[in-house]
Amino acid sequence: GHAEALLVVGVMFDLNAAGSEPAALTTIADGVAEALYEPKHLSGSVQLSTIYDGMGDFYSYAGSLTTPGCNEMRTWVVMETPKKISMATLEKFKAATAYPKSFESGSDDGTMY
């Protein structure tokens, strides 16, 4: 019952060559790809229940966030059964997490800020 408490649900993914994946994952990846260079609203609706339906075995533990601040009072739930992801969708997410050129420092040692 803390106002700053947070639940984090982790869903692992298996690369699926056949391309069968949760519909919401495809929609989110397409939206991420469209918003790489300028903010955009996600077009269409997303049924998160196709990724996480609240069913199945899971692991749970109390912890903190993994980003600076590392705020505690977080409950982590990690689903035991991975979902499927296609290579095309994985590539869209990977492209979105790469550092844009504007973040490079230009230093000789390759340090990025």
Side-chain angles (χ1 to χ4, degrees):
H2 294 284
E4 295 182 22
L6 181 70
L7 172 68
V8 180
V9 178
V11 180
M12 303 300 168
F13 293 94
D14 277 335
L15 190 58
N16 182 15
S20 176
E21 64 191 5
L25 192 62
T26 308
T27 303
I28 293 168
D30 289 346
V32 165
E34 290 175 10
L36 277 178
Y37 302 105
E38 63 181 88
K40 291 188 176 189
H41 289 281
L42 189 62
S43 60
S45 63
V46 175
Q47 292 287 79
L48 291 178
S49 62
T50 67
I51 298 174
Y52 172 68
D53 60 8
M55 305 298 289
D57 293 330
F58 60 90
Y59 305 96
S60 177
Y61 60 93
S64 63
L65 292 180
T66 59
T67 53
C70 300
N71 304 31
E72 294 183 7
M73 293 192 300
R74 307 305 184 235
T75 299
W76 286 79
V77 175
V78 180
M79 302 309 299
E80 183 177 64
T81 305
K83 297 290 184 176
K84 302 293 184 192
I85 188 171
S86 69
M87 180 58 82
T89 297
L90 179 60
E91 291 298 327
K92 289 175 185 176
F93 283 116
K94 285 172 56 178
T97 59
Y99 286 102
K101 286 283 187 194
S102 62
F103 288 129
E104 293 183 16
S105 68
S107 65
D108 291 335
D109 66 0
T111 302
M112 297 179 75
Y113 299 96

